Amino acid sequence: MPQQRKSMHGEWSSRWAFILAATGSAVGLGNIWKFPYITGENGGGAFVLVYLACIAIVGIPIMMAEVMLGRRGRHSPINTMRLLAQESGRSPAWQLLGWGGVLAGFIILSFYSVIAGWALAYVLEAASGAFVGGEADRIGALFGGLLGNPVTLISWHTIFMAMTVFVVARGVEKGLERAVRVLMPALFALLLLLVGYAMNSGYFTDGLAFLFKPDFSKISAEGVLIALGHAFFTLSLGMGAIMVYGAYLPQKASIATTTVTIAAADTLVALLAGMAIFPIVFANGLEPGAGPGLIFQTLPIAFGQMPGGLLFGTLFFVLLSFAAWTSGISLLEPAVAWLVENRGLSRVVATVGCGGIIWLLGLASALSFNIWSDFTLFGKTIFDNLDFLASNIMLPLGGLLIALFAAWLLPRAISHDELAMREEGTYALWLFMVRYITPVGVSLVFLNAIGLI
Ligand code: TRP
């Protein structure tokens, strides 16, 4: 077997640094903004159950595969796939998987940055006392006012993209580690505080019932596809973000343990967010299916009413913006790593170039919340279409190909060696999952959603 490679982009200082960075990538708007609103739109409990099943059956095995391929290849996902295909005697066309990932990353970051801009805008709103009192209609009007103003939305989108470009241009391993170590636990503590508030809202059991009592008549085939797509989205899978972070993982770190830790932390944050939000929704007579604005219309009510809400609310939106930031950089890194490797560009030039393209694409999403809101395709706005295409089609498809490559084409000696499981049985289980269960599961959901079965 060829000797192990080294990454030209550097390496994490330890296994913990990788766990922090990958958790920083996984935990973001997907957990706190997207999970509650799509759960609300898809009827609650049954959707949550399907989502949890997707994390366990599809997400964790694919995450292990992605980290494993990344560490073996030690390059950007495009080059990693090219090198590993070569090493396995397969077609160089496998590098297209890396290209698809770059495209998916661009699309996701373009709208992600717009939503992260809302979080940034809410830092100022919270700090200026705009939530005090917390009347539901006033909070709703405040959010409507933000969405209706394209200049404000684009300004915040620009600021978020600039922040993201700044970190990626410096190299992701610098600075990130220290920040994640402090701010993630703080975000977690604030979520617990919000759940505490929700417990006293008088509607906590209604919220829990909505989240955890499955009613399968409420979920459609499209809902199942959205749950699957979200398992990829929330764990940052299917486009090479985790693969490129894996490329910087020290050789001796255990992939299985780190993966399970990251997936567990990510799931916990999403469930806590749901437990905080739905009781507030029901206590204030709001609509669970209100859409992308859900957390921006509910959490300010809680902050507006609780003692110390000015401070906690400000802090919460600071931390949410930060969580979005550590996710955004992982969406950009695969493309930048490739440009540095193959085009000899400096990191700064590569990052600014990619950032500019993504910023431009983001304008379409920003405008789809106001002046272009009537422009729809398949009954969805531009934002909804970009999200659906990238999250529910491109990510699962990318994940499917990653699973097929890792399980069927990569020589078993390599995956066995990289995963280095303590128990043989664990390796056999992983192999069985990525060979059969994961591909069949993803394919069934796809076929079902397009009406073929
Ligand atoms: N997982 C992040 C979140 O939940 C978003 C994200 C970061 C992502 N990197 C990704 C999604 C790569 C898909 C692919 O907010």
Side-chain angles (χ1 to χ4, degrees):
M1 203 180 310
Q3 77 290 9
Q4 256 112 22
R5 301 178 182 87
K6 261 186 94 63
S7 167
M8 67 184 276
H9 309 283
E11 202 173 272
W12 306 110
S13 59
S14 68
R15 178 172 88 92
W16 266 104
F18 170 77
I19 293 187
L20 287 169
T23 309
S25 165
V27 175
L29 295 171
N31 307 63
I32 294 168
W33 156 76
K34 195 173 181 189
F35 171 73
Y37 103 73
I38 58 177
T39 298
E41 283 182 341
N42 289 284
F47 178 85
V48 174
L49 203 64
V50 175
Y51 154 77
L52 291 175
C54 290
I55 294 281
I57 299 173
V58 178
I60 292 178
I62 292 192
M63 192 162 183
M64 288 175 60
E66 240 192 271
V67 177
M68 186 262 289
L69 295 176
R71 188 168 71 180
R72 185 73 193 182
R74 293 262 187 234
H75 281 78
S76 65
I78 297 173
N79 286 328
T80 284
M81 288 312 297
R82 190 174 49 72
L83 288 166
L84 295 183
Q86 198 177 35
E87 191 174 350
S88 318
R90 308 292 168 177
S91 160
W94 277 98
Q95 63 182 295
L96 289 174
L97 183 54
W99 285 102
V102 165
L103 185 64
F106 275 34
I107 296 176
I108 294 175
L109 186 51
S110 77
F111 67 77
Y112 201 85
S113 168
V114 174
I115 313 292
W118 301 357
L120 288 172
Y122 267 46
V123 173
L124 290 193
E125 296 287 358
S128 70
F131 305 151
V132 175
E135 306 85 1
D137 12 335
R138 201 172 48 80
I139 301 284
L142 191 81
F143 181 67
L146 172 68
L147 283 203
N149 190 334
V151 178
T152 317
L153 287 193
I154 291 172
S155 309
W156 288 113
H157 160 56
T158 310
I159 293 173
F160 184 80
M161 275 313 298
M163 288 163 56
T164 306
V165 162
F166 176 75
V167 177
V168 178
R170 282 168 36 119
V172 290
E173 71 272 32
K174 287 195 206 101
L176 186 66
E177 207 173 320
R178 208 168 339 132
V180 178
R181 207 182 287 257
V182 181
L183 297 174
M184 285 296 212
L187 179 63
F188 192 75
L190 271 183
L191 275 177
L192 288 179
L193 175 84
L194 280 168
V195 173
Y197 172 86
M199 277 179 180
N200 292 318
S201 66
Y203 284 79
F204 193 58
T205 43
D206 301 65
L208 286 190
F210 182 77
L211 267 180
F212 296 116
K213 228 166 122 191
D215 173 355
F216 283 96
S217 68
K218 292 221 182 100
I219 188 166
S220 60
E222 194 189 9
V224 176
L225 181 65
I226 292 174
L228 175 75
H230 190 62
F232 282 93
F233 188 94
T234 194
L235 295 178
S236 305
L237 299 178
M239 55 72 66
I242 288 294
M243 197 186 283
V244 81
Y245 276 16
Y248 315 147
L249 180 63
Q251 198 59 42
K252 51 184 192 310
S254 152
I255 292 178
T257 336
T258 47
T259 300
V260 172
T261 313
I262 296 160
D266 186 80
T267 307
L268 188 62
V269 171
L271 293 179
L272 283 177
M275 285 158 63
I277 284 154
F278 287 107
I280 305 173
V281 169
F282 296 124
N284 291 281
L286 300 169
E287 190 41 62
L294 189 64
I295 69 156
F296 296 92
Q297 289 159 315
T298 48
L299 295 183
I301 299 177
F303 291 125
Q305 294 176 353
M306 70 170 68
L310 193 84
L311 174 70
F312 292 134
T314 312
L315 202 56
F316 177 83
F317 285 104
V318 167
L319 294 170
L320 181 63
S321 307
F322 184 82
W325 195 15
T326 58
S327 299
I329 58 183
S330 72
L331 286 158
L332 192 50
E333 178 65 16
V336 170
W338 181 80
L339 284 170
V340 172
E341 285 163 11
N342 286 46
R343 290 286 171 269
L345 296 183
S346 75
R347 225 171 211 280
V348 176
V349 172
T351 314
V352 171
C354 293
I357 297 170
I358 296 167
W359 176 82
L360 211 59
L361 185 59
L363 298 183
S365 287
L367 297 177
S368 81
F369 290 105
N370 37 69
I371 55 179
W372 288 351
S373 62
D374 292 333
F375 180 79
T376 56
L377 202 67
F378 314 116
K380 291 181 161 83
T381 62
I382 301 176
F383 158 77
D384 284 326
N385 272 305
L386 288 174
D387 178 24
F388 190 82
L389 171 69
S391 311
N392 302 322
I393 311 226
M394 296 178 79
L395 297 181
L397 214 57
L400 179 65
L401 292 172
I402 287 169
L404 291 176
F405 184 86
W408 293 96
L409 303 183
L410 190 76
R412 238 190 255 192
I414 295 185
S415 56
H416 188 270
D417 186 42
E418 281 294 332
L419 291 173
M421 312 270 211
R422 230 170 289 137
E423 313 275 339
E424 268 321 300
T426 331
Y427 176 76
L429 176 66
W430 172 78
L431 194 63
F432 178 75
M433 298 295 280
V434 277
R435 282 202 144 184
Y436 304 102
I437 308 295
T438 308
V440 170
V442 173
S443 309
L444 284 181
V445 173
F446 260 123
L447 294 176
N448 188 243
I450 57 175
L452 283 183
I453 51 168

